[in-house]
Amino acid sequence: MLAELSPAVIAEVKLTATLLATKQRICILTGAGISAESGIPTFRDKQTGLWENYRAEDLATPEAFARDPKLVWSWYQWRRQMVADKAPNPAHHALAQWQYHAQTSDQQVTLITQNVDDLHEQAGSSVTHLHGHLWRNRCGQCEIPYLEQSRAAYSKQDTIRFDNKLITCPHCEGYIRPDIVWFGEALPVQAWQTAEEAAANCD
Ligand SMILES: [Zn+2]
């Protein structure tokens, strides 16, 4: 990897590595850029195919789900299908290795992400999700997790799992929605606390 970079960038990377090695408490925040390298489009990318006339900002809201749950659910099923075959890239692996090696040193590496995919987990990281999980679902009404549709339930071969049909909560009459923080919704309390503490206490 380093061979593809200019000498100036390599020097900066080495300097950064030396600097980080001497620090004890590290806090890492990742966002759309790291997953874009794995081929996952960012929210700012124009949508393609069936969804090119929609803006992500108009679909990822509680109001949109209340107005047309089928539309929003179909869009997430499409997004899931799109990322199902995506794999972690060298950046995800590097962070996972860093966390792994930190276990046997006195370094503490807290990884926080704004991404809803599970590429950090696939690489072996322990990660806090600020904006929820693409592969998890919960009831839009009573909020109880809907485990039948977790990551393991989806696979490339099993496209029926990406069915656009709405699912009704077994506990109430609410519709099942992705466990994602939509525009206008509060961040999950526990994840936010973890992120805030890690950021406030890092070196
Ligand atoms: Zn419910």
PDB file of all heavy atoms in Angstrom, residues 11-43:
ATOM      1  N   ALA A  11       6.075   9.919   4.557  1.00  0.00           N
ATOM      2  CA  ALA A  11       6.740  10.529   5.709  1.00  0.00           C
ATOM      3  C   ALA A  11       5.711  10.940   6.766  1.00  0.00           C
ATOM      4  O   ALA A  11       5.921  10.736   7.969  1.00  0.00           O
ATOM      5  CB  ALA A  11       7.554  11.738   5.255  1.00  0.00           C
ATOM      6  N   GLU A  12       4.589  11.476   6.309  1.00  0.00           N
ATOM      7  CA  GLU A  12       3.541  11.892   7.249  1.00  0.00           C
ATOM      8  C   GLU A  12       2.909  10.705   7.953  1.00  0.00           C
ATOM      9  O   GLU A  12       2.610  10.749   9.147  1.00  0.00           O
ATOM     10  CB  GLU A  12       2.452  12.692   6.513  1.00  0.00           C
ATOM     11  CG  GLU A  12       2.835  14.145   6.283  1.00  0.00           C
ATOM     12  CD  GLU A  12       1.720  14.939   5.612  1.00  0.00           C
ATOM     13  OE1 GLU A  12       0.545  14.597   5.811  1.00  0.00           O
ATOM     14  OE2 GLU A  12       2.045  15.891   4.884  1.00  0.00           O
ATOM     15  N   VAL A  13       2.699   9.625   7.187  1.00  0.00           N
ATOM     16  CA  VAL A  13       2.116   8.420   7.772  1.00  0.00           C
ATOM     17  C   VAL A  13       3.053   7.865   8.855  1.00  0.00           C
ATOM     18  O   VAL A  13       2.611   7.483   9.942  1.00  0.00           O
ATOM     19  CB  VAL A  13       1.847   7.349   6.683  1.00  0.00           C
ATOM     20  CG1 VAL A  13       1.502   6.003   7.311  1.00  0.00           C
ATOM     21  CG2 VAL A  13       0.721   7.799   5.753  1.00  0.00           C
ATOM     22  N   LYS A  14       4.361   7.853   8.557  1.00  0.00           N
ATOM     23  CA  LYS A  14       5.324   7.333   9.527  1.00  0.00           C
ATOM     24  C   LYS A  14       5.357   8.199  10.778  1.00  0.00           C
ATOM     25  O   LYS A  14       5.424   7.698  11.898  1.00  0.00           O
ATOM     26  CB  LYS A  14       6.719   7.253   8.898  1.00  0.00           C
ATOM     27  CG  LYS A  14       6.828   6.062   7.955  1.00  0.00           C
ATOM     28  CD  LYS A  14       8.230   5.907   7.392  1.00  0.00           C
ATOM     29  CE  LYS A  14       8.319   4.613   6.577  1.00  0.00           C
ATOM     30  NZ  LYS A  14       9.465   4.609   5.673  1.00  0.00           N
ATOM     31  N   LEU A  15       5.304   9.507  10.571  1.00  0.00           N
ATOM     32  CA  LEU A  15       5.306  10.434  11.702  1.00  0.00           C
ATOM     33  C   LEU A  15       4.064  10.209  12.574  1.00  0.00           C
ATOM     34  O   LEU A  15       4.140  10.148  13.807  1.00  0.00           O
ATOM     35  CB  LEU A  15       5.342  11.877  11.190  1.00  0.00           C
ATOM     36  CG  LEU A  15       5.382  12.972  12.259  1.00  0.00           C
ATOM     37  CD1 LEU A  15       6.685  12.911  13.053  1.00  0.00           C
ATOM     38  CD2 LEU A  15       5.221  14.357  11.623  1.00  0.00           C
ATOM     39  N   THR A  16       2.928  10.048  11.899  1.00  0.00           N
ATOM     40  CA  THR A  16       1.662   9.813  12.609  1.00  0.00           C
ATOM     41  C   THR A  16       1.731   8.508  13.411  1.00  0.00           C
ATOM     42  O   THR A  16       1.324   8.450  14.570  1.00  0.00           O
ATOM     43  CB  THR A  16       0.490   9.739  11.606  1.00  0.00           C
ATOM     44  OG1 THR A  16       0.528  10.890  10.782  1.00  0.00           O
ATOM     45  CG2 THR A  16      -0.838   9.665  12.323  1.00  0.00           C
ATOM     46  N   ALA A  17       2.274   7.476  12.768  1.00  0.00           N
ATOM     47  CA  ALA A  17       2.379   6.177  13.446  1.00  0.00           C
ATOM     48  C   ALA A  17       3.252   6.284  14.692  1.00  0.00           C
ATOM     49  O   ALA A  17       2.911   5.742  15.749  1.00  0.00           O
ATOM     50  CB  ALA A  17       2.946   5.143  12.473  1.00  0.00           C
ATOM     51  N   THR A  18       4.366   6.997  14.580  1.00  0.00           N
ATOM     52  CA  THR A  18       5.267   7.176  15.727  1.00  0.00           C
ATOM     53  C   THR A  18       4.545   7.926  16.848  1.00  0.00           C
ATOM     54  O   THR A  18       4.633   7.559  18.019  1.00  0.00           O
ATOM     55  CB  THR A  18       6.507   7.991  15.288  1.00  0.00           C
ATOM     56  OG1 THR A  18       7.043   7.390  14.109  1.00  0.00           O
ATOM     57  CG2 THR A  18       7.564   7.992  16.374  1.00  0.00           C
ATOM     58  N   LEU A  19       3.843   8.963  16.460  1.00  0.00           N
ATOM     59  CA  LEU A  19       3.113   9.785  17.424  1.00  0.00           C
ATOM     60  C   LEU A  19       2.053   8.956  18.153  1.00  0.00           C
ATOM     61  O   LEU A  19       1.944   8.973  19.389  1.00  0.00           O
ATOM     62  CB  LEU A  19       2.437  10.940  16.664  1.00  0.00           C
ATOM     63  CG  LEU A  19       2.139  12.201  17.435  1.00  0.00           C
ATOM     64  CD1 LEU A  19       3.438  12.897  17.815  1.00  0.00           C
ATOM     65  CD2 LEU A  19       1.291  13.139  16.581  1.00  0.00           C
ATOM     66  N   LEU A  20       1.279   8.189  17.382  1.00  0.00           N
ATOM     67  CA  LEU A  20       0.178   7.406  17.956  1.00  0.00           C
ATOM     68  C   LEU A  20       0.693   6.295  18.861  1.00  0.00           C
ATOM     69  O   LEU A  20       0.059   5.941  19.854  1.00  0.00           O
ATOM     70  CB  LEU A  20      -0.694   6.821  16.839  1.00  0.00           C
ATOM     71  CG  LEU A  20      -1.575   7.833  16.096  1.00  0.00           C
ATOM     72  CD1 LEU A  20      -2.236   7.185  14.879  1.00  0.00           C
ATOM     73  CD2 LEU A  20      -2.644   8.409  17.013  1.00  0.00           C
ATOM     74  N   ALA A  21       1.877   5.744  18.514  1.00  0.00           N
ATOM     75  CA  ALA A  21       2.416   4.631  19.297  1.00  0.00           C
ATOM     76  C   ALA A  21       2.734   5.047  20.734  1.00  0.00           C
ATOM     77  O   ALA A  21       2.746   4.226  21.645  1.00  0.00           O
ATOM     78  CB  ALA A  21       3.665   4.079  18.611  1.00  0.00           C
ATOM     79  N   THR A  22       2.979   6.333  20.931  1.00  0.00           N
ATOM     80  CA  THR A  22       3.351   6.802  22.266  1.00  0.00           C
ATOM     81  C   THR A  22       2.128   7.196  23.101  1.00  0.00           C
ATOM     82  O   THR A  22       2.263   7.545  24.262  1.00  0.00           O
ATOM     83  CB  THR A  22       4.268   8.036  22.168  1.00  0.00           C
ATOM     84  OG1 THR A  22       3.537   9.101  21.524  1.00  0.00           O
ATOM     85  CG2 THR A  22       5.517   7.723  21.365  1.00  0.00           C
ATOM     86  N   LYS A  23       0.958   7.163  22.498  1.00  0.00           N
ATOM     87  CA  LYS A  23      -0.251   7.589  23.214  1.00  0.00           C
ATOM     88  C   LYS A  23      -0.982   6.403  23.817  1.00  0.00           C
ATOM     89  O   LYS A  23      -0.952   5.298  23.284  1.00  0.00           O
ATOM     90  CB  LYS A  23      -1.200   8.352  22.269  1.00  0.00           C
ATOM     91  CG  LYS A  23      -0.566   9.543  21.584  1.00  0.00           C
ATOM     92  CD  LYS A  23      -0.078  10.577  22.583  1.00  0.00           C
ATOM     93  CE  LYS A  23       0.612  11.725  21.865  1.00  0.00           C
ATOM     94  NZ  LYS A  23       1.307  12.627  22.798  1.00  0.00           N
ATOM     95  N   GLN A  24      -1.651   6.662  24.913  1.00  0.00           N
ATOM     96  CA  GLN A  24      -2.296   5.558  25.618  1.00  0.00           C
ATOM     97  C   GLN A  24      -3.773   5.414  25.278  1.00  0.00           C
ATOM     98  O   GLN A  24      -4.271   4.323  25.059  1.00  0.00           O
ATOM     99  CB  GLN A  24      -2.132   5.762  27.124  1.00  0.00           C
ATOM    100  CG  GLN A  24      -2.190   4.463  27.891  1.00  0.00           C
ATOM    101  CD  GLN A  24      -2.231   4.691  29.386  1.00  0.00           C
ATOM    102  OE1 GLN A  24      -1.858   5.756  29.881  1.00  0.00           O
ATOM    103  NE2 GLN A  24      -2.704   3.687  30.109  1.00  0.00           N
ATOM    104  N   ARG A  25      -4.455   6.534  25.233  1.00  0.00           N
ATOM    105  CA  ARG A  25      -5.899   6.468  24.968  1.00  0.00           C
ATOM    106  C   ARG A  25      -6.196   7.073  23.594  1.00  0.00           C
ATOM    107  O   ARG A  25      -6.020   8.252  23.362  1.00  0.00           O
ATOM    108  CB  ARG A  25      -6.671   7.197  26.065  1.00  0.00           C
ATOM    109  CG  ARG A  25      -6.599   6.510  27.423  1.00  0.00           C
ATOM    110  CD  ARG A  25      -7.398   7.261  28.468  1.00  0.00           C
ATOM    111  NE  ARG A  25      -7.006   8.657  28.564  1.00  0.00           N
ATOM    112  CZ  ARG A  25      -5.981   9.114  29.308  1.00  0.00           C
ATOM    113  NH1 ARG A  25      -5.262   8.262  30.016  1.00  0.00           N
ATOM    114  NH2 ARG A  25      -5.697  10.395  29.326  1.00  0.00           N
ATOM    115  N   ILE A  26      -6.655   6.187  22.695  1.00  0.00           N
ATOM    116  CA  ILE A  26      -6.909   6.579  21.308  1.00  0.00           C
ATOM    117  C   ILE A  26      -8.413   6.522  21.033  1.00  0.00           C
ATOM    118  O   ILE A  26      -9.088   5.575  21.443  1.00  0.00           O
ATOM    119  CB  ILE A  26      -6.214   5.606  20.324  1.00  0.00           C
ATOM    120  CG1 ILE A  26      -4.741   5.405  20.694  1.00  0.00           C
ATOM    121  CG2 ILE A  26      -6.407   6.047  18.881  1.00  0.00           C
ATOM    122  CD1 ILE A  26      -3.827   6.537  20.348  1.00  0.00           C
ATOM    123  N   CYS A  27      -8.916   7.513  20.350  1.00  0.00           N
ATOM    124  CA  CYS A  27     -10.324   7.514  19.935  1.00  0.00           C
ATOM    125  C   CYS A  27     -10.371   7.697  18.418  1.00  0.00           C
ATOM    126  O   CYS A  27      -9.812   8.649  17.888  1.00  0.00           O
ATOM    127  CB  CYS A  27     -11.072   8.642  20.643  1.00  0.00           C
ATOM    128  SG  CYS A  27     -12.765   8.847  20.075  1.00  0.00           S
ATOM    129  N   ILE A  28     -11.016   6.778  17.736  1.00  0.00           N
ATOM    130  CA  ILE A  28     -11.100   6.839  16.271  1.00  0.00           C
ATOM    131  C   ILE A  28     -12.559   6.982  15.855  1.00  0.00           C
ATOM    132  O   ILE A  28     -13.414   6.224  16.317  1.00  0.00           O
ATOM    133  CB  ILE A  28     -10.519   5.549  15.643  1.00  0.00           C
ATOM    134  CG1 ILE A  28      -9.061   5.369  16.059  1.00  0.00           C
ATOM    135  CG2 ILE A  28     -10.652   5.586  14.118  1.00  0.00           C
ATOM    136  CD1 ILE A  28      -8.530   3.969  15.815  1.00  0.00           C
ATOM    137  N   LEU A  29     -12.830   7.958  15.010  1.00  0.00           N
ATOM    138  CA  LEU A  29     -14.178   8.136  14.473  1.00  0.00           C
ATOM    139  C   LEU A  29     -14.134   7.913  12.967  1.00  0.00           C
ATOM    140  O   LEU A  29     -13.367   8.575  12.266  1.00  0.00           O
ATOM    141  CB  LEU A  29     -14.698   9.542  14.778  1.00  0.00           C
ATOM    142  CG  LEU A  29     -16.053   9.899  14.169  1.00  0.00           C
ATOM    143  CD1 LEU A  29     -17.174   9.069  14.775  1.00  0.00           C
ATOM    144  CD2 LEU A  29     -16.355  11.385  14.340  1.00  0.00           C
ATOM    145  N   THR A  30     -14.923   6.966  12.494  1.00  0.00           N
ATOM    146  CA  THR A  30     -14.963   6.742  11.041  1.00  0.00           C
ATOM    147  C   THR A  30     -16.330   7.132  10.484  1.00  0.00           C
ATOM    148  O   THR A  30     -17.331   7.136  11.197  1.00  0.00           O
ATOM    149  CB  THR A  30     -14.678   5.270  10.672  1.00  0.00           C
ATOM    150  OG1 THR A  30     -15.750   4.448  11.141  1.00  0.00           O
ATOM    151  CG2 THR A  30     -13.361   4.788  11.246  1.00  0.00           C
ATOM    152  N   GLY A  31     -16.325   7.459   9.189  1.00  0.00           N
ATOM    153  CA  GLY A  31     -17.566   7.834   8.519  1.00  0.00           C
ATOM    154  C   GLY A  31     -17.639   7.222   7.129  1.00  0.00           C
ATOM    155  O   GLY A  31     -16.938   6.252   6.824  1.00  0.00           O
ATOM    156  N   ALA A  32     -18.459   7.818   6.298  1.00  0.00           N
ATOM    157  CA  ALA A  32     -18.771   7.237   4.989  1.00  0.00           C
ATOM    158  C   ALA A  32     -17.538   6.933   4.134  1.00  0.00           C
ATOM    159  O   ALA A  32     -17.534   5.980   3.361  1.00  0.00           O
ATOM    160  CB  ALA A  32     -19.699   8.173   4.226  1.00  0.00           C
ATOM    161  N   GLY A  33     -16.474   7.743   4.284  1.00  0.00           N
ATOM    162  CA  GLY A  33     -15.297   7.579   3.440  1.00  0.00           C
ATOM    163  C   GLY A  33     -14.677   6.198   3.514  1.00  0.00           C
ATOM    164  O   GLY A  33     -14.284   5.629   2.492  1.00  0.00           O
ATOM    165  N   ILE A  34     -14.612   5.647   4.725  1.00  0.00           N
ATOM    166  CA  ILE A  34     -13.947   4.343   4.881  1.00  0.00           C
ATOM    167  C   ILE A  34     -14.748   3.245   4.175  1.00  0.00           C
ATOM    168  O   ILE A  34     -14.169   2.331   3.581  1.00  0.00           O
ATOM    169  CB  ILE A  34     -13.681   4.016   6.374  1.00  0.00           C
ATOM    170  CG1 ILE A  34     -12.708   2.844   6.508  1.00  0.00           C
ATOM    171  CG2 ILE A  34     -14.967   3.748   7.146  1.00  0.00           C
ATOM    172  CD1 ILE A  34     -12.163   2.638   7.918  1.00  0.00           C
ATOM    173  N   SER A  35     -16.062   3.338   4.185  1.00  0.00           N
ATOM    174  CA  SER A  35     -16.883   2.320   3.521  1.00  0.00           C
ATOM    175  C   SER A  35     -16.996   2.570   2.020  1.00  0.00           C
ATOM    176  O   SER A  35     -17.207   1.630   1.246  1.00  0.00           O
ATOM    177  CB  SER A  35     -18.281   2.268   4.143  1.00  0.00           C
ATOM    178  OG  SER A  35     -18.207   1.793   5.467  1.00  0.00           O
ATOM    179  N   ALA A  36     -16.843   3.830   1.613  1.00  0.00           N
ATOM    180  CA  ALA A  36     -16.875   4.150   0.178  1.00  0.00           C
ATOM    181  C   ALA A  36     -15.777   3.378  -0.539  1.00  0.00           C
ATOM    182  O   ALA A  36     -15.953   2.928  -1.672  1.00  0.00           O
ATOM    183  CB  ALA A  36     -16.706   5.647  -0.038  1.00  0.00           C
ATOM    184  N   GLU A  37     -14.628   3.185   0.151  1.00  0.00           N
ATOM    185  CA  GLU A  37     -13.506   2.435  -0.438  1.00  0.00           C
ATOM    186  C   GLU A  37     -13.871   0.973  -0.676  1.00  0.00           C
ATOM    187  O   GLU A  37     -13.216   0.277  -1.438  1.00  0.00           O
ATOM    188  CB  GLU A  37     -12.278   2.511   0.484  1.00  0.00           C
ATOM    189  CG  GLU A  37     -11.653   3.889   0.560  1.00  0.00           C
ATOM    190  CD  GLU A  37     -10.960   4.291  -0.748  1.00  0.00           C
ATOM    191  OE1 GLU A  37     -10.292   3.445  -1.349  1.00  0.00           O
ATOM    192  OE2 GLU A  37     -11.111   5.463  -1.146  1.00  0.00           O
ATOM    193  N   SER A  38     -14.912   0.505   0.009  1.00  0.00           N
ATOM    194  CA  SER A  38     -15.381  -0.873  -0.202  1.00  0.00           C
ATOM    195  C   SER A  38     -16.524  -0.932  -1.209  1.00  0.00           C
ATOM    196  O   SER A  38     -17.129  -1.981  -1.419  1.00  0.00           O
ATOM    197  CB  SER A  38     -15.853  -1.481   1.127  1.00  0.00           C
ATOM    198  OG  SER A  38     -14.758  -1.780   1.960  1.00  0.00           O
ATOM    199  N   GLY A  39     -16.869   0.231  -1.778  1.00  0.00           N
ATOM    200  CA  GLY A  39     -17.916   0.259  -2.796  1.00  0.00           C
ATOM    201  C   GLY A  39     -19.299   0.562  -2.253  1.00  0.00           C
ATOM    202  O   GLY A  39     -20.297   0.368  -2.961  1.00  0.00           O
ATOM    203  N   ILE A  40     -19.384   1.019  -1.008  1.00  0.00           N
ATOM    204  CA  ILE A  40     -20.694   1.392  -0.463  1.00  0.00           C
ATOM    205  C   ILE A  40     -20.917   2.878  -0.728  1.00  0.00           C
ATOM    206  O   ILE A  40     -20.149   3.707  -0.263  1.00  0.00           O
ATOM    207  CB  ILE A  40     -20.767   1.075   1.053  1.00  0.00           C
ATOM    208  CG1 ILE A  40     -20.639  -0.436   1.259  1.00  0.00           C
ATOM    209  CG2 ILE A  40     -22.063   1.619   1.648  1.00  0.00           C
ATOM    210  CD1 ILE A  40     -20.742  -0.890   2.686  1.00  0.00           C
ATOM    211  N   PRO A  41     -21.962   3.201  -1.501  1.00  0.00           N
ATOM    212  CA  PRO A  41     -22.181   4.606  -1.842  1.00  0.00           C
ATOM    213  C   PRO A  41     -22.497   5.440  -0.595  1.00  0.00           C
ATOM    214  O   PRO A  41     -23.135   4.950   0.331  1.00  0.00           O
ATOM    215  CB  PRO A  41     -23.403   4.581  -2.773  1.00  0.00           C
ATOM    216  CG  PRO A  41     -23.791   3.173  -2.947  1.00  0.00           C
ATOM    217  CD  PRO A  41     -23.014   2.321  -2.015  1.00  0.00           C
ATOM    218  N   THR A  42     -22.054   6.688  -0.593  1.00  0.00           N
ATOM    219  CA  THR A  42     -22.357   7.553   0.550  1.00  0.00           C
ATOM    220  C   THR A  42     -23.715   8.208   0.327  1.00  0.00           C
ATOM    221  O   THR A  42     -24.259   8.187  -0.766  1.00  0.00           O
ATOM    222  CB  THR A  42     -21.295   8.658   0.711  1.00  0.00           C
ATOM    223  OG1 THR A  42     -21.481   9.610  -0.336  1.00  0.00           O
ATOM    224  CG2 THR A  42     -19.890   8.098   0.646  1.00  0.00           C
ATOM    225  N   PHE A  43     -24.243   8.791   1.388  1.00  0.00           N
ATOM    226  CA  PHE A  43     -25.536   9.463   1.310  1.00  0.00           C
ATOM    227  C   PHE A  43     -25.509  10.607   0.311  1.00  0.00           C
ATOM    228  O   PHE A  43     -26.526  10.996  -0.219  1.00  0.00           O
ATOM    229  CB  PHE A  43     -25.911   9.992   2.707  1.00  0.00           C
ATOM    230  CG  PHE A  43     -27.042   9.214   3.319  1.00  0.00           C
ATOM    231  CD1 PHE A  43     -26.989   7.835   3.407  1.00  0.00           C
ATOM    232  CD2 PHE A  43     -28.165   9.868   3.793  1.00  0.00           C
ATOM    233  CE1 PHE A  43     -28.036   7.118   3.965  1.00  0.00           C
ATOM    234  CE2 PHE A  43     -29.216   9.162   4.348  1.00  0.00           C
ATOM    235  CZ  PHE A  43     -29.149   7.788   4.431  1.00  0.00           C
TER     236      PHE A  43
END
